[in-house]
Amino acid sequence: MEEPGGAPSSPAAAGNGALGKGKPPPQAKGRELFRSQRKESQGSMDCPNLEFEYGDADSYAAELSELYSYTEEPEFAINRKCFEEDFQKQAKGKRWLELDLSRQKAHVMQLLDGLEVVNRDKRLRVARAILYLAQGVFGECDTEAEVLHWARHNNFLLYQMGTFTAFLELLNMEMAVLLSVMYLMVETIRVEMETDPPKWKSSRETFRTELSFPVHSEEPFALLLFTMVTKFCSGHAPHFPMKKVLLLLWKVLMFTLGGFEALQALKVKKREELGLLPLPEDSIQVMRSMRAASPPAYTIELMDQQQQQQQQQQQQQQQKRGHRSRRPLMKQDSLDIYNERDPFKSDEAMVDEEEADDMDNGIEGELVMLERETAIQAVSVPRPPVERVSFPKGLPWAPKVRQKDIEHFLEASRNKFIGFTLGQDTDTLVGLPRPIHESVKTLKQHKYISISEVQIKNEEEMEKCPMSLGEENVQETPCETLYRGMLYNLPQYMQTLLSKGDQPCLLPPDQLASLLSASLQIALLKILLAAAPTSKAKTDSINILADVLPEEMPITVLQSMKLGIDVNRHKEIIVKSISALLLLLLKHFKLNHIYQFEYVSQHLVFANCIPLILKFFNQNIMSYITAQNSISVLDYPSCTVHELPELSAESLEAGDTNQFCWRNLFSCINLLRILNKLTKWKHSRTMMLVVFKSAPILKRALKVKQAMMQLYVLKLLKIQTKYLGRQWRKSNMKTMSAIYQKVRHRMNDDWAYGNDIDARPWDFQAEECTLRANIEAFNSRRYDKPQDSEFSPVDNCLQSVLGQQLELPEDFHYSYELWLEREVFSQPIHWEELLHYQ
């Protein structure tokens, strides 16, 4: 099976070509590079600040519209026809909106009875009639708001009448229609509104409980959807409408586990239970108040309008003096977008940068730089008015210090001043200078103990003392139920999934469970790879467009344009749903138990998730974020209440007028957050970022002027800065400054200097193997509990033991007296031996 993802192409080949023959003269090369840099800088300035508010999902109407492809537009009329044919026979000229609640319930019950008929065509017509109800009986509505109002009313009604449970039993029959109804019900009931009556609120909590702890089945509903994803990617069910499955899976996880606000509340509650200090801030709220960095507007204009002639004169003077050609002085962008050793630049540009770097190293280079700055300042040009920037007081984040940081600081200080260490003792400061005392005091003031550290410490104690500490009391939460189901609930299916021909591949239970979870992660990543804009079509790749391609392919240019927009939109929605559900899984598992998070994370890393995300960002991110692959007149619910205009190029291009696409920016931030979670405090995975040359890819993403996205990009750059070398840090000082201003400070972290990197050879393979051993020990202790183990609890109560009903063999009473004589009466008992200690 082809593993998803792949490393970005190496720049080594590109870097060597410029050293051969045919090299252009330095002067022409410098002018060409200046033009390209000026064009790129102006492009970054043209990007406005994006007014984007990150959240769990888009608006209610937008989330409903993304369920339908534009090729499904004729099915709205089919659903309406299936409903009205039967409804008119029962209602006799009345409308659905005119019926009272009791008659609406009676009609829904009649429709549910129709789902039990043998004829498949009749069942499908009934399912489409129910789908029409879930879509808001748009044939009787005049406005979009009215359609959404009745959609909420009908979906709550359908749930209260048991429609979801009935559809769950028929899910393998009319897949697309049933998934659409179930998605509409989940999304409608999940979204809370102030106008919801109390009955709807109680229905919401009941529905959430049923999805998390099902009564009619042995596994949560999310696991059934995970199984569908795995079957689709393995080729067993290529007909599954994967976009609908993924959207429903994402919304079910968000509904049962909770969104970002619920996560924050759970984190606060758990810290209180563990006796930890409260959180210093809410991360998402802090990021919402941050502003994106933007380059100064006048710098490029000044260089463009006033300095071209002067630069040419200086270049000619330098050539007469024997100096090598240098590129013109350019003030660095505030996020240093274009001053990058970029593997995707031309060969000439890379060589010219190397020459410029060599020139900058000597005193002569500093003098030339000083002369140039003086010349620029001497030009008396009226500058355009510049808005005064109001800088915030202090940094946006409270600094954090780990226990390990204090221990490492004291170990280095003791080695330096007194010549020996005291292990993990952070209280004894005898023999250390007074400034060290003050430093330790400051470090302890900002000490932060995470929930993960407490969980790891408790797990170590459970492994050391399994008998004295007893059995762990695990709270039965939706997250715990989901993890247990992902671990062990599908062994029979995995046997068929891993079988080779007629011979099944029999594996031990622990390896089987590990491969099960890995198959789920690989399946999601394979779909993500197929939906990425940078992926090329392959004959052996999975077909994610089965549910969007029409039966008759387009024959006109307009039909081809419409299908092209629909396909791109389809892929964008798949990327959005996968990135959101993976992030939710990682965050909830990390809060529930750190080793659950590490288990999923390690399988994602082994499935090449890191290079896959980098490959996703190795594109024109600004074009992806501003792409408008939507046709507003065909979006639900607009297409149900307005007469559709005739197809034309103008109507296809008259899409969303926003400055960015919400779902694409949401997907980019989610993928960056996933990448941060996979690499944080993991040196081996940080080196993967370095090896795959992620720095230029990530820096291009900084062109997007959105504070939250920039922050996660800067975090990824910060953790690898020390490995990129001194020359990279020297030529990217503005990026270093942006990291200092926006990213949380970790005291005693030498991220900006890279001290002693060569003296600390990390054993990356051992690091991952140790982590995997800890994960397997955790899974074995908590979830793999054999009944005949020597650590199984023993009942020592005489009454309960004698009161148990034991099944004795049939011939026991024949040999009972003989056994009693041989094993009891004839054996001498030496009571005095009990007094001697052996």
Side-chain angles (χ1 to χ4, degrees), residues 95 97 137-147 640-642:
R95 305 167 64 213
L97 308 186
V137 288
F138 49 82
E140 303 179 14
C141 300
D142 298 326
T143 63
E144 298 179 23
E146 195 174 357
V147 174
T640 62
V641 294
H642 300 298

Side-chain angles (χ1 to χ4, degrees), residues 187-411:
E187 177 63 9
T188 300
I189 298 176
R190 181 192 70 84
V191 176
E192 300 183 26
M193 294 188 178
E194 296 180 356
T195 57
D196 290 350
K199 189 175 182 180
W200 285 9
K201 296 180 180 179
S202 61
S203 297
R204 180 179 295 113
E205 296 303 319
T206 306
F207 192 26
R208 181 186 287 114
T209 304
E210 290 179 359
L211 291 175
S212 304
F213 309 103
V215 180
H216 304 285
S217 61
E218 297 180 355
E219 61 184 21
F221 180 56
L223 280 180
L224 175 61
L225 298 176
F226 268 123
T227 310
M228 295 172 65
V229 175
T230 311
K231 286 183 178 180
F232 174 81
C233 290
S234 63
H236 289 79
H239 61 283
F240 284 173
M242 197 40 52
K243 185 191 80 170
K244 297 181 187 296
V245 173
L246 291 170
L247 280 173
L248 180 56
L249 175 58
W250 168 38
K251 294 305 174 64
V252 168
L253 291 178
M254 192 192 308
F255 188 28
T256 56
L257 303 182
F260 298 129
E261 292 184 0
L263 265 168
Q264 185 72 9
L266 285 173
K267 194 172 184 179
V268 171
K269 181 181 178 181
K270 198 153 194 175
R271 290 187 67 86
E272 291 179 356
E273 294 174 353
L274 296 175
L276 301 176
L277 295 176
L279 292 169
E281 68 271 313
D282 185 345
S283 300
I284 293 182
Q285 294 299 328
V286 172
M287 284 182 278
R288 285 176 179 172
S289 62
M290 295 174 65
R291 297 187 61 184
S294 58
Y298 64 87
T299 304
I300 304 302
E301 296 175 1
L302 179 64
M303 296 301 300
D304 186 22
Q305 299 173 2
Q306 304 297 330
Q307 299 304 317
Q308 293 183 7
Q309 296 180 355
Q310 184 177 0
Q311 289 161 0
Q312 293 176 0
Q313 293 175 1
Q314 290 178 351
Q315 289 176 358
Q316 293 174 359
Q317 292 176 0
Q318 290 175 4
Q319 289 177 356
K320 291 179 181 179
R321 297 174 192 161
H323 292 303
R324 288 178 296 177
S325 176
R326 288 172 43 96
R327 60 181 176 180
L329 174 64
M330 295 279 294
K331 285 193 175 181
Q332 195 176 26
D333 195 347
S334 64
L335 288 179
D336 200 27
I337 300 299
Y338 47 82
N339 190 14
E340 166 63 48
R341 292 187 175 275
D342 192 326
F344 303 95
K345 283 186 179 179
S346 62
D347 301 342
E348 293 82 6
M350 291 184 65
V351 175
D352 191 75
E353 285 190 29
E354 292 174 359
E355 293 178 353
D357 292 336
D358 294 338
M359 188 67 178
D360 287 342
N361 287 337
I363 299 178
E364 184 179 16
E366 295 179 1
L367 292 175
V368 174
M369 184 72 70
L370 181 61
E371 292 175 0
R372 189 164 299 173
E373 290 180 353
T374 306
I376 291 178
Q377 293 175 1
V379 180
S380 58
V381 179
R383 295 182 177 181
V386 180
E387 295 182 2
R388 298 185 62 87
V389 180
S390 58
F391 295 97
K393 296 181 179 179
L395 298 171
W397 307 99
K400 289 182 179 179
V401 179
R402 297 183 301 167
Q403 178 69 16
K404 292 182 180 179
D405 298 333
I406 303 177
E407 294 173 1
H408 291 164
F409 175 74
L410 280 174
E411 182 181 2

Side-chain angles (χ1 to χ4, degrees), residues 76-89:
F76 286 105
I78 299 176
N79 300 339
R80 178 181 178 180
K81 181 179 179 182
C82 291
F83 173 81
E84 291 182 346
E85 284 179 353
D86 182 68
F87 180 72
Q88 292 303 326
K89 297 177 182 178

Side-chain angles (χ1 to χ4, degrees), residues 658-689:
N658 291 331
Q659 59 178 344
F660 60 91
C661 178
W662 195 97
R663 63 171 168 266
N664 290 352
L665 185 51
F666 177 73
S667 301
C668 290
I669 294 177
N670 288 339
L671 291 174
L672 288 171
R673 297 185 73 183
I674 292 171
L675 199 55
N676 270 281
K677 288 195 169 297
L678 295 181
T679 55
K680 187 176 182 180
W681 305 120
K682 302 290 190 304
H683 298 287
S684 59
R685 301 172 190 177
T686 302
M687 288 305 299
M688 290 180 68
L689 296 177

Side-chain angles (χ1 to χ4, degrees), residues 145-176:
E146 195 174 357
V147 174
L148 295 177
H149 168 78
W150 282 103
R152 289 184 61 81
H153 170 84
N154 292 342
N155 278 292
F156 273 96
L157 176 62
L158 290 173
Y159 167 70
Q160 293 166 0
M161 300 304 295
T163 307
F164 194 89
T165 304
F167 275 31
L168 193 59
E169 299 173 355
L170 302 173
L171 191 56
N172 292 326
M173 298 182 183
E174 290 77 35
M175 178 68 65

